[in-house]
């Protein structure tokens, strides 16, 4: 791996320093407020959408702390509310807009409250305008390219009193060195690349997250090393299409090379990554996984459809044969691999036969878990303009059939794990069943067991005695 900074992709240090100076001004004001009132101002960050957004929100939380805010889990006692939005489906946008609507009364109670809306939804001009006109109590908006400008936006709003609608940056660049406040002390997200060049015809991501850019390998390896030294046990490398990692870097490095470098770091941890595109999932990558010490035998490989014609119109640039070939190779090299996927039901023009093709692929591949979505037209994408949209009732009937089949498959897939003893990273008391603790296996399956508070963040061994489509249940043996 060649050393060297990847200059053309990276936001300059002077731009980051300028934001640090704004943050220091706000911090001084928040310190003064605390000295005067005895109360520290608080920030609340709400996140919609994918892991990339979760990771961005950890940066928003980090910047909030840098600006002298304490973090709070309740919007009612916040002085700063940041809503990090998603645009992938209409449902995500509607949910965010409805919650933003509910904050009107908080602003009425506390006129000094600052409300900012950011992320994918407001990167779209029509949504930014909607916020501007219909949500007058929102103080500022900023899109995915301007995340690093949060301190400047707050400073300008406070100094001028005027609402701020930050335009997108000329270029989507990587901003290194921003403060991050991680929610967990044992699981971490690490972005390796941002944006997407694929333009699948249904997808809004390339329009709201810009073109692909990769972080320099040295920066990623250093971040992961620091996390492992701090005791993190489960690290997920993130990117819209991790297999494109390195394509736009001056170094000759691909994702498999990056994984090899990270795998050399000593420690007791698992490395995961998402998301992979089947068109670029290489045998080299699978070989690296199979021979690694730390890469979990788990692969998320979105298939989207089991019809070659639908895949063609989706602009996915692979067919079902190619997809199945990757699955076969993966299972040959790692018989214990967990494979999960994304499926879209009701893409424009999807016929009954196309949909049957998807069901057939489900039966052949037997995914451990599936994230299934009803197609949602996204303004500005080619598929939204297609005339042969599938009627809503057909979409939802197909969706139900898909779920029913997948439930059968996942139940069947989980049965062989009954009787096995698995290592599980404990996440603490289960949110859905407070009598039990839950955690994740190497294959990222949820396991429930009777635990104790000090299991949280640690590996435990669980003997599985029952399994359904969604989870494993068992008895904890001992700490390891
Ligand atoms: N409608 C429904 N699902 C979508 N996805 C992306 N765009 C859309 C859309 N317009 C799904 C894809 C992708 C996952 C993150 O979201 O399956 O892999
Ligand atoms: Fe969207 Fe396709 Fe890019 Fe994934 S690869 S983010 S589905 S355009």
């Amino acid at each position: 791996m060649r050393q060297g900074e990847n200059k053309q992709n990276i936001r300059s240090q002077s731009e980051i320093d300028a934001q640090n100076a704004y943050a220091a001004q706000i911090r001084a004001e928040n310190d003064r407020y605390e000295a005067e009132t005895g109360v520290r101002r608080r920030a609340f960050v709400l996140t919609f959408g994918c892991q990339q957004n979760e990771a961005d929100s950890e940066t928003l939380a980090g910047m909030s702390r840098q600006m002298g805010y304490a973090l709070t889990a309740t919007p009612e006692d916040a002085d700063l509310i940041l809503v990090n939005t998603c645009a992938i489906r209409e449902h995500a946008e509607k949910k965010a807009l409805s919650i933003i609507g509910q904050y009107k009364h908080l602003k009425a109670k506390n006129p000094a409250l600052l409300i900012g809306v950011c992320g994918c939804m407001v990167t779209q001009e029509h949504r930014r305008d909607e916020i501007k006109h219909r949500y007058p109590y929102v103080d500022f908006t900023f899109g995915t390219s301007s995340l690093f400008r949060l301190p400047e936006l707050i400073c300008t709003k406070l100094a001028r009193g005027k609402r701020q609608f930050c335009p997108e940056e000329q270029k989507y660049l990587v901003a290194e060195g921003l403060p991050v406040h991680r929610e967990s002390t044992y699981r971490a997200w690490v972005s390796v690349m941002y944006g997407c060049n694929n333009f699948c015809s249904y997808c809004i991501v390339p329009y709201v997250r810009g073109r692909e850019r990769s972080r320099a390998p040295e920066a990623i390896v250093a971040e992961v090393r620091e996390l492992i030294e701090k005791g993190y046990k489960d690290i997920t490398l993130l990117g819209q299409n991790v297999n494109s990692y390195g394509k736009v870097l001056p170094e000759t490095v691909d994702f498999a090379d990056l994984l090899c470098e990270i795998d050399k770091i000593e420690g007791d941890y698992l490395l995961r990554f998402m998301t992979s595109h089947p068109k670029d999932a290489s045998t080299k990558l699978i070989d690296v996984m199979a021979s690694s010490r730390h890469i979990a035998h788990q692969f998320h490989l979105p298939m989207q459809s089991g019809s070659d014609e639908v895949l063609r119109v989706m602009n996915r640039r692979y067919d079902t044969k190619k997809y199945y070939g990757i699955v076969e190779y993966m299972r040959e090299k790692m018989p214990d691999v967990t494979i999960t996927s994304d499926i879209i039901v009701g893409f424009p023009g999807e016929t009954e036969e196309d949909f049957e093709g998807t069901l057939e692929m489900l039966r052949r591949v037997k995914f451990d878990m599936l994230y299934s979505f009803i197609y949602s037209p996204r303004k500005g994408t080619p598929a939204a303009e297609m005339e042969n949209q599938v009627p809503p009732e057909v979409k939802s009937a197909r969706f139900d059939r898909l779920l029913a089949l997948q439930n059968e498959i996942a139940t069947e897939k989980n049965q062989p794990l009954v009787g096995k003893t698995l290592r599980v990273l404990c996440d603490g008391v289960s949110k859905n069943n407070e009598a039990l603790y839950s955690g994740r296996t190497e294959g990222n399956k949820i396991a429930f067991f009777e635990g104790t508070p000090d299991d949280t963040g640690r590996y435990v061994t669980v003997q599985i005695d029952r399994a359904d489509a969604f989870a494993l249940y068992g008895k904890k043996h001992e700490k390891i």
Side-chain angles (χ1 to χ4, degrees):
M1 206 182 283
R2 249 176 40 208
Q3 296 288 312
E5 205 186 356
N6 152 37
K7 290 207 170 68
Q8 71 261 39
N9 254 338
I10 294 195
R11 210 158 272 297
S12 70
Q13 190 54 45
S14 60
E15 281 182 286
I16 304 296
D17 289 345
Q19 295 304 320
N20 288 339
Y22 284 119
Q25 278 186 48
I26 302 164
R27 177 169 203 114
E29 163 52 22
N30 283 339
D31 287 349
R32 186 204 55 76
Y33 181 83
E34 186 182 18
E36 199 178 291
T37 62
V39 180
R40 171 127 314 253
R41 287 199 173 115
R42 282 171 283 213
F44 170 71
V45 182
L46 180 65
T47 314
F48 292 91
C50 64
Q51 285 79 4
Q52 186 58 61
N53 259 21
E54 297 282 349
D56 284 351
S57 284
E58 293 190 337
T59 305
L60 293 170
M63 287 193 283
S64 299
R65 280 166 47 109
Q66 183 194 22
M67 292 183 288
Y69 291 95
L71 298 176
T72 172
T74 42
E76 288 75 17
D77 51 38
D79 303 280
L80 167 67
I81 292 181
L82 297 170
V83 185
N84 191 5
T85 60
C86 168
I88 197 92
R89 284 170 290 275
E90 196 186 2
H91 181 65
E93 295 193 320
K94 284 212 163 130
K95 243 170 56 191
L97 288 169
S98 142
I99 300 251
I100 297 165
Q102 293 168 24
Y103 292 155
K104 186 178 178 183
H105 76 277
L106 294 181
K107 184 80 167 202
K109 266 198 240 157
N110 173 15
L113 168 66
L114 285 172
I115 302 178
V117 181
C118 62
C120 295
M121 183 179 84
V122 288
T123 305
Q124 306 167 100
E125 214 174 311
H126 68 284
R127 290 296 190 195
R128 195 158 55 226
D129 287 347
E130 189 175 347
I131 297 283
K132 194 171 184 172
H133 299 300
R134 299 217 195 132
Y135 300 81
Y137 50 89
V138 170
D139 297 286
F140 56 95
T141 66
F142 55 114
T144 57
S145 65
S146 343
L147 193 90
F148 72 107
R149 285 198 192 278
L150 175 64
E152 178 181 351
L153 283 164
I154 295 184
C155 249
T156 317
K157 159 72 194 157
L158 291 175
R160 303 206 189 131
K162 255 182 79 183
R163 302 170 75 203
Q164 302 293 312
F165 300 96
C166 186
E168 288 313 304
E169 305 298 313
Q170 297 273 325
K171 262 185 114 177
Y172 280 69
L173 298 177
V174 177
E176 288 288 355
L178 299 179
V180 176
H181 175 78
R182 296 188 187 272
E183 245 174 53
S184 164
T185 52
Y186 53 93
R187 284 187 202 278
W189 316 113
V190 174
S191 296
V192 300
M193 52 92 65
Y194 305 88
C196 183
N197 289 354
N198 288 321
F199 290 94
C200 300
S201 61
Y202 50 81
C203 188
I204 196 70
V205 166
Y207 306 88
V208 294
R209 286 209 172 258
R211 294 296 68 73
E212 281 172 6
R213 61 243 178 243
S214 296
R215 291 179 68 195
E218 301 79 25
I220 299 167
V221 172
E223 185 174 341
V224 175
R225 176 170 291 117
E226 195 185 324
L227 288 167
I228 292 164
E229 279 165 5
K230 281 188 182 153
Y232 280 82
K233 302 238 168 323
D234 200 289
I235 294 168
T236 304
L237 306 180
L238 287 182
Q240 236 55 251
N241 176 14
V242 289
N243 307 114
S244 286
Y245 175 78
K247 277 190 188 160
V248 287
L249 283 172
E251 292 100 326
T252 321
V253 54
D254 65 15
F255 188 58
D257 299 329
L258 178 70
L259 284 173
C260 273
E261 261 331 281
I262 298 176
D263 190 49
K264 287 180 193 157
I265 304 173
E266 294 299 330
D268 186 15
Y269 66 94
L270 279 177
L271 201 57
R272 306 178 192 275
F273 55 87
M274 64 189 302
T275 294
S276 292
H277 195 304
K279 82 175 163 55
D280 326 285
S282 65
T283 50
K284 176 179 169 189
L285 172 67
I286 295 165
D287 292 343
V288 164
M289 278 179 85
S291 63
S292 77
R293 298 183 301 165
H294 299 107
I295 306 171
H297 287 184
Q298 177 228 331
F299 212 104
H300 183 61
L301 191 64
M303 183 173 79
Q304 313 297 4
S305 168
S307 151
D308 289 338
E309 175 56 14
V310 171
L311 288 173
R312 190 186 63 75
V313 185
M314 283 179 164
N315 192 30
R316 290 291 287 177
R317 288 171 279 170
Y318 57 84
D319 58 13
T320 48
K321 185 158 174 267
K322 156 106 181 161
Y323 188 94
Y324 198 71
I326 303 169
V327 169
E328 275 187 317
Y329 190 77
M330 238 182 320
R331 291 205 167 128
E332 184 194 317
K333 296 282 164 174
M334 298 176 282
D336 62 336
V337 69
T338 295
I339 304 178
T340 59
S341 197
D342 292 347
I343 297 282
I344 297 179
V345 170
F347 180 80
E350 183 190 73
T351 62
E352 181 57 26
E353 197 187 335
D354 292 323
F355 177 65
E356 284 291 343
T358 299
L359 297 182
E360 189 44 39
M361 280 296 276
L362 256 56
R363 287 187 202 102
R364 274 182 79 193
V365 178
K366 296 191 193 299
F367 294 109
D368 289 271
M369 205 186 23
L370 209 54
Y371 300 87
S372 2
F373 309 103
I374 291 180
Y375 169 69
S376 167
R378 306 284 66 215
K379 195 177 157 106
T381 62
E385 304 301 318
M386 293 176 187
E387 277 168 10
N388 44 1
Q389 300 288 327
V390 175
E393 59 283 5
V394 176
K395 286 198 231 183
S396 61
R398 284 182 189 163
F399 185 71
D400 292 345
R401 283 164 65 197
L402 186 91
L403 290 193
L405 174 62
Q406 177 56 28
N407 278 356
E408 276 174 37
I409 294 170
T411 309
E412 180 192 317
K413 287 280 303 186
N414 283 340
Q415 290 320 304
L417 296 174
V418 174
K420 293 231 156 89
T421 300
L422 302 178
R423 196 155 99 126
V424 172
L425 180 57
C426 178
D427 285 310
V429 175
S430 154
K431 288 194 184 93
N432 304 325
N433 181 349
E434 290 190 2
L436 293 174
Y437 279 64
S438 72
R440 297 269 175 172
T441 66
E442 173 180 337
N444 217 22
K445 298 196 182 208
I446 300 181
F448 290 99
F449 54 91
E450 279 177 30
T452 54
D454 65 341
D455 289 336
T456 307
R458 298 213 167 110
Y459 284 117
V460 295
T461 47
V462 178
Q463 167 139 29
I464 307 301
D465 51 35
R466 186 163 71 82
D468 60 25
F470 310 101
L472 313 172
Y473 304 81
K475 276 189 193 64
K476 185 181 89 173
H477 270 197
E478 63 193 282
K479 250 178 240 126
I480 51 169

